[in-house]
Amino acid sequence: EAMRAAGIRVAFGTDSRASNPDLSVLEEVRHATNSYAGVSPGDALRMATLDAAEALRLAGDVGSLTVHKRADLVAILINAAHADPYESVLEPTSRPPRVWLGGQRI
């Protein structure tokens, strides 16, 4: 929270099984929103997408749904019971049923 308040870009990622048991960036985002009251689900998802792409200097190619960027994306079912769709994405049971890399479904 202090780094964000100071204007420092904070991004999520994972490096290896040595530091993360499942290599899930989505689990990292869930952990952050559950552990830090100042991190909203929307902020955390931005840190895992566009902010992460900017930190890696890849924002021209990935990180957001923008014309001429790679179509690297996941589809996640939204629970209509949530007023905030970002909260629905971060439910512990939420898993992406569809994944695309470079526009190709995998």
Side-chain angles (χ1 to χ4, degrees):
E1 292 174 15
M3 289 189 294
R4 291 178 62 214
I8 297 169
R9 178 182 297 123
V10 177
F12 290 104
T14 180
D15 58 355
S16 72
R17 289 209 181 271
S19 64
N20 187 320
D22 61 12
L23 299 176
S24 172
V25 174
L26 190 55
E27 286 301 323
E28 296 293 325
V29 172
R30 287 182 180 125
H31 175 74
T33 58
N34 291 328
S35 301
Y36 303 100
V39 179
S40 73
D43 288 345
L45 287 167
R46 180 185 171 92
M47 288 183 226
T49 55
L50 187 55
D51 290 349
E54 288 172 349
L56 294 170
R57 297 184 179 164
L58 297 173
D61 296 320
V62 298
S64 64
L65 297 176
T66 306
V67 174
H68 302 298
K69 286 190 177 183
R70 286 177 41 128
D72 294 345
L73 57 117
V74 299
I76 296 179
L77 299 173
I78 301 297
N79 182 342
H82 288 286
D84 180 355
Y86 297 119
E87 288 179 7
S88 185
V89 169
L90 296 181
E91 284 184 346
T93 57
S94 178
R95 298 286 180 262
R98 305 278 189 275
V99 177
W100 292 265
L101 293 176
Q104 300 296 312
R105 185 172 166 195
I106 60 168

